[in-house]
Amino acid sequence: EVQLVESGGGLVQPGRSLRLSCAASGLTFHDYAMHWVRQAPGKGLEWVSGISWNGRSTDYADSVKGRFTISRDNAKNSLYLQMNDLRAEDMAFYYCAAGYGTGRATVCDYWGQGTLVTVSS
Amino acid sequence: EIVLTQSPGTLSLSPGERATLSCRASQRVASSYVAWYQQKPGQAPRLLIYAASSRATGIPDRFSGSGSGTDFTLTISRLEPEDFAVYYCQQYGNSPFTFGPGTKVHVK
């Protein structure tokens, strides 16, 4: 059974940083591109960032470009999202998702249950 | 950035009825890389359809997708009680890989 477990969410002040992690199991991690998708409470889905299987290609939504950095460690079956200069509009549930394929243009086949990031002073 | 528009925003139907959901892109989606997801309250989204018309593993055949270019459709042939949910389309052909705003299918 594929499991994606996010961690690292919590309450943070505006302008501060937070690092999210996603631990993957039940799949051959390096066969999958990985994504972060967020959802503000009661709102729709927003794709945030994606990374290819080997970490060499990354993409970002315009709303987070220059502030967020996605990375992965295939030896640890883990995905990360470093979030800097957090703003109120970044407050959301952050989902980790896996998409089969070597490129970064993949769907989100598997999803974690999400971790909540709250940005407030 | 490709902007996706979903219509209708809300669909009121009864179990057994047919649901037709639309997703329109602001520009052509490369390789028909459009996916559809279902999300129920308190749950993560679930992949239903990828590449516009291919069903994901384990998805019942009452779900079907079609379309190309800028216009895509998700059809649920006969609604089951568990199908009442929010449905999102996503394009993953051009970065950033944007989602539509969703269509809520609720019980009439």
Side-chain angles (χ1 to χ4, degrees):
Chain A
E1 180 194 5
V2 174
Q3 284 199 322
L4 300 174
V5 180
E6 303 92 340
S7 61
L11 174 63
V12 62
Q13 293 179 328
R16 304 299 290 264
S17 299
L18 207 59
R19 188 193 196 208
L20 303 183
S21 298
C22 172
S25 61
L27 75 172
T28 303
F29 189 64
H30 62 249
D31 282 345
Y32 288 79
M34 298 297 295
H35 304 270
W36 289 101
V37 177
R38 69 185 180 184
Q39 185 171 37
K43 302 298 183 183
L45 301 173
E46 181 186 12
W47 179 86
V48 173
S49 183
I51 187 168
S52 62
W53 71 278
N54 58 5
R56 291 179 182 171
S57 295
T58 59
D59 293 279
Y60 298 92
D62 291 344
S63 58
V64 306
K65 200 173 291 184
R67 299 187 299 122
F68 290 12
T69 302
I70 190 171
S71 61
R72 65 189 294 163
D73 185 337
N74 286 350
K76 295 183 178 179
N77 287 354
S78 292
L79 174 72
Y80 307 100
L81 186 67
Q82 177 66 42
M83 303 185 295
N84 297 333
D85 186 24
L86 282 160
R87 305 167 181 170
E89 54 265 35
D90 296 319
M91 185 163 61
F93 287 94
Y94 283 73
Y95 292 102
C96 162
Y100 184 78
T102 55
R104 63 193 192 281
T106 71
V107 292
C108 298
D109 296 274
Y110 302 106
W111 295 69
Q113 285 304 303
T115 187
L116 179 61
V117 173
T118 303
V119 183
S120 176
S121 54
Chain B
E1 171 177 320
I2 294 180
V3 177
L4 300 180
T5 303
Q6 291 188 242
S7 60
T10 303
L11 205 48
S12 299
L13 294 168
S14 300
E17 289 193 297
R18 181 184 189 91
T20 303
L21 287 66
S22 173
C23 176
R24 177 162 291 178
S26 60
Q27 54 187 281
R28 182 182 172 278
V29 177
S31 305
S32 293
Y33 278 174
V34 167
W36 290 89
Y37 301 86
Q38 176 193 69
Q39 188 179 34
K40 298 179 181 179
Q43 296 184 16
R46 177 175 71 144
L47 176 66
L48 300 175
I49 301 288
Y50 64 95
S53 59
S54 297
R55 265 189 305 276
T57 302
I59 301 303
D61 60 8
R62 64 180 182 273
F63 291 92
S64 64
S66 63
S68 63
T70 60
D71 290 300
F72 300 88
T73 301
L74 174 70
T75 302
I76 310 171
S77 58
R78 294 174 314 278
L79 282 164
E80 296 288 340
E82 62 268 27
D83 299 337
F84 292 93
V86 180
Y87 293 84
Y88 295 94
C89 60
Q90 182 201 22
Q91 68 80 21
Y92 56 103
N94 301 79
S95 178
F97 303 142
T98 46
F99 284 91
T103 291
K104 182 176 182 178
V105 179
H106 70 92
V107 180
K108 186 173 182 180

